[in-house]
Amino acid sequence: MEKTIVVTGGAGFIGSNFIYYMLNKHPYYKIICVDCLTYAGNLSTLKKALENPNFRFEKLNICDYEGIKKLFKEAKPDIVVNFAAESHVDRSIKTPEIFVDTNIKGTQNLMDVCRELEIPRFHQVSTDEVYGDLPLDRPDLFFTEKTPIHASSPYSASKAGADLLVLAYHRTYNFPATISRCSNNYGPYHFPEKLIPLMIINALHNKPLPVYGDGLNVRDWLYVEDHCKAIDMIIHDEHLGEVYNVGGHNEMSNIDIVKLILKKLKKPESLITFVEDRKGHDRRYAIDPTKIKEQLGWYPETKFADGIEKTIKWYLAHEDWWKEIISGDYKNYYEKMYGAK
Ligand code: NAD
Ligand code: TYD
């Protein structure tokens, strides 16, 4: 059956991967990307999607009530999937305010429009970071959906605030929503301020690889396509008010990731530079994905060894994409594409 899906934040890393995943998996669906193109949004990422008649792009801020309402009234989406967010922990430490505006108020705004227009389904893309962190010396501990919210950074606190609002809207208004909390993603179109793309690009330029603190912090890495598959399964399932943890039991320390990237690119470990630690730096994230596996049959398809290989190859083959970002030229892409429209 044909459906219309609004994907907010679809010019960013995971949202764009989700758009390509959905256009391929559901060729009869109409996909509308809503994105205001912050520094993290890059329209050239959606170049191929823009050639697909079932796809369209709307430059809009999720905090803009009237703009969102006008679009939703006209497009009548069956599902809204909210990826739009400020997503970088280091930026949240420097400028928390925009994180509250976009991640909390933006989510509230989208939900209010959805309620008013009785949009049948809303999905909030959240993060395992809302649970805080786990100690390194307790490998037996994992985040489950019942783990208390215990955010450490302004970023994770703003995502936790949004999650609480989504659950409160479900309880108070019977708002038809679900939430997914995924671990760290990696793959194509990952913005080069985040660990894996930053290290690949610095290594290619023989620049120092800045590892925070002792480099022993652990993240649970998931190939982005497996995250997209999980969201696709959740939004096609009828259970509402549910939270699902998404992760593939793939814990790696930062230093091991950096060494692996250097090895794959045949670059020396002398490029590694230990720098001052991130403030409030979470020690370990680790997801227990039992619920989504048992209830929806989700499992991760891409092993880390294959995913990192594919990712490095993607960055080697798409220099034009990341060079445009590094030079800042991508900011002109929207003007070039849409300036005259
Ligand atoms: P990203 O920073 O790459 O992309 C965010 C996108 O949102 C950008 O295109 C940006 O232009 C857009 N955006 C920001 N503010 C907006 C606003 N006010 N209105 C409209 N668009 C706006 O982020 P990402 O890594 O793709 O993360 C997407 C979502 O997934 C976020 O909600 C994040 O919290 C969540 N998440 C990310 C990870 C990860 O590893 N990257 C893991 C779990 C969950
Ligand atoms: P990041 O990609 O920013 O994701 P998150 O903070 O959401 O997990 O960082 C992943 C890990 O890598 C985190 O422990 C911080 C560390 N890190 C570095 O050591 N150096 C860097 O330059 C960056 C960007 C991150």
Side-chain angles (χ1 to χ4, degrees):
M1 210 179 70
E2 202 179 283
K3 283 187 195 297
T4 298
I5 303 192
V6 164
V7 178
T8 68
F13 165 43
I14 309 176
S16 60
N17 276 281
F18 182 71
I19 287 169
Y20 285 115
Y21 182 89
M22 295 300 278
L23 286 171
N24 184 42
K25 174 99 190 287
H26 305 283
Y28 299 108
Y29 282 17
K30 293 202 163 51
I31 308 284
I32 302 172
C33 173
V34 166
D35 199 299
C36 71
L37 300 179
T38 66
Y39 79 93
N42 183 355
L43 199 58
S44 72
T45 299
L46 295 171
K47 212 186 267 179
K48 275 207 202 99
L50 285 162
E51 291 164 10
N52 187 323
N54 285 338
F55 175 77
R56 89 187 220 228
F57 177 81
E58 293 287 338
K59 187 170 189 283
L60 256 179
N61 193 314
I62 59 164
C63 300
D64 171 1
Y65 183 83
E66 290 306 329
I68 296 286
K69 189 168 154 189
K70 186 163 173 260
L71 172 69
F72 286 12
K73 228 176 181 171
E74 172 253 311
K76 298 187 179 58
D78 298 286
I79 310 173
V80 173
V81 184
N82 182 28
F83 289 90
E86 288 293 331
S87 67
H88 191 38
V89 173
D90 294 325
R91 285 179 189 256
S92 82
I93 294 168
K94 288 209 161 69
T95 53
E97 193 183 342
I98 181 75
F99 285 72
V100 173
D101 288 344
T102 295
N103 299 2
I104 302 182
K105 292 189 191 162
T107 302
Q108 175 232 319
N109 190 51
L110 281 176
M111 290 197 295
D112 283 345
V113 175
C114 288
R115 277 180 57 221
E116 197 179 330
L117 300 178
E118 297 182 347
I119 306 294
R121 190 70 188 261
F122 181 87
H123 181 73
Q124 175 71 0
V125 181
S126 186
T127 164
D128 61 353
E129 300 191 29
V130 301
Y131 298 121
D133 65 352
L134 296 163
L136 285 181
D137 61 358
R138 289 292 307 274
D140 55 315
L141 295 181
F142 298 92
F143 298 137
T144 74
E145 291 79 2
K146 293 198 168 73
T147 302
I149 298 282
H150 195 270
S152 313
S153 70
Y155 161 67
S156 51
S158 67
K159 293 295 290 183
D163 281 17
L164 292 174
L165 271 178
V166 173
L167 294 174
Y169 271 48
H170 173 69
R171 166 99 185 224
T172 307
Y173 309 115
N174 210 13
F175 184 66
T178 39
I179 296 177
S180 50
R181 293 182 180 146
C182 191
S183 58
N184 285 62
N185 286 211
Y186 68 101
Y189 301 118
H190 204 178
F191 197 82
E193 67 184 349
K194 306 282 171 62
L195 180 79
I196 290 182
L198 183 111
M199 297 300 169
I200 295 173
I201 291 169
N202 278 18
L204 288 172
H205 287 116
N206 299 309
K207 277 171 61 177
L209 271 50
V211 174
Y212 299 165
D214 57 14
L216 297 180
N217 305 64
V218 167
R219 299 293 183 261
D220 184 356
W221 294 93
L222 185 74
Y223 193 62
V224 63
E225 208 172 88
D226 281 319
H227 185 188
C228 298
K229 183 173 88 166
I231 296 172
D232 183 33
M233 287 174 138
I234 295 167
I235 61 177
H236 287 94
D237 181 79
E238 74 275 17
H239 292 94
L240 300 173
E242 296 289 332
V243 175
Y244 298 92
N245 283 357
V246 185
H249 281 303
N250 182 58
E251 291 177 50
M252 304 261 305
S253 70
N254 295 338
I255 191 70
D256 284 348
I257 298 249
V258 170
K259 284 183 180 169
L260 181 67
I261 290 170
L262 286 170
K263 195 167 163 207
K264 297 248 174 226
L265 292 173
K266 298 189 172 54
K267 298 285 182 176
E269 286 189 7
S270 56
L271 287 175
I272 295 173
T273 312
F274 289 94
V275 299
E276 191 188 329
D277 208 355
R278 173 185 279 172
K279 288 187 174 62
H281 199 173
D282 279 336
R283 229 25 193 157
R284 170 176 168 249
Y285 301 144
I287 285 273
D288 175 356
T290 306
K291 178 175 172 181
I292 190 166
K293 279 188 172 170
E294 287 184 352
Q295 293 191 9
L296 303 183
W298 176 86
Y299 62 92
E301 281 176 42
T302 302
K303 291 196 176 63
F304 188 75
D306 301 329
I308 195 73
E309 186 82 30
K310 273 203 272 190
T311 303
I312 292 175
K313 281 196 178 133
W314 189 90
Y315 279 87
L316 288 172
H318 293 83
E319 271 195 11
D320 48 341
W321 181 83
W322 53 262
K323 282 200 166 150
E324 220 182 39
I325 290 176
I326 288 173
S327 72
D329 274 355
Y330 76 108
K331 291 195 188 109
N332 304 323
Y333 189 81
Y334 181 82
E335 290 309 318
K336 272 188 248 154
M337 288 289 293
Y338 283 81
K341 289 186 188 160

